[in-house]
Amino acid sequence: MKRYLQEYENAFILISHDMAFLNSVINLIYHMDNLQLNRYVGDYDNFLNVYESKKQQLEAAYKKQQQEIAELEDF
């Protein structure tokens, strides 16, 4: 099955909890989060790294924005 999926030319939806299997057969991930569909190129490990980085950037931007709001309210 692994070889078949690696050589399969069309798109398919794959649901699995086996990370090693996912990494060996996928090269593109569409991820739905907060009503947004995002496209990630690479295997599942790459997706996790990029998604985590993106999440950390959004959290840092939110904290900075909240700090700026607090400073403006104090002013």
Side-chain angles (χ1 to χ4, degrees), residues 59-75:
E59 288 175 3
Y62 175 78
K63 287 178 184 179
K64 183 178 179 183
Q65 181 185 44
Q66 293 304 308
Q67 182 181 0
E68 290 174 357
I69 290 171
E71 289 172 0
L72 287 171
E73 287 176 345
D74 287 344
F75 178 70

Side-chain angles (χ1 to χ4, degrees), residues 30-70:
Y30 285 95
H31 180 250
M32 182 71 127
D33 188 31
N34 267 346
L35 302 176
Q36 284 187 324
L37 184 64
N38 297 298
R39 181 179 187 255
Y40 297 89
V41 177
D43 63 14
Y44 191 74
D45 286 339
N46 183 61
F47 158 72
L48 289 177
N49 291 334
V50 173
Y51 178 70
E52 188 61 35
S53 295
K54 184 178 176 182
K55 194 163 65 168
Q56 288 175 358
Q57 288 174 347
L58 287 172
E59 288 175 3
Y62 175 78
K63 287 178 184 179
K64 183 178 179 183
Q65 181 185 44
Q66 293 304 308
Q67 182 181 0
E68 290 174 357
I69 290 171

Side-chain angles (χ1 to χ4, degrees), residues 6-42:
Q6 288 170 336
E7 295 172 2
Y8 190 69
E9 295 180 10
N10 298 311
F12 58 90
I13 295 174
L14 177 65
I15 300 170
S16 176
H17 295 282
D18 185 345
M19 301 307 162
F21 178 70
L22 286 173
N23 282 328
S24 69
V25 298
I26 63 170
N27 57 15
L28 183 64
I29 294 175
Y30 285 95
H31 180 250
M32 182 71 127
D33 188 31
N34 267 346
L35 302 176
Q36 284 187 324
L37 184 64
N38 297 298
R39 181 179 187 255
Y40 297 89
V41 177

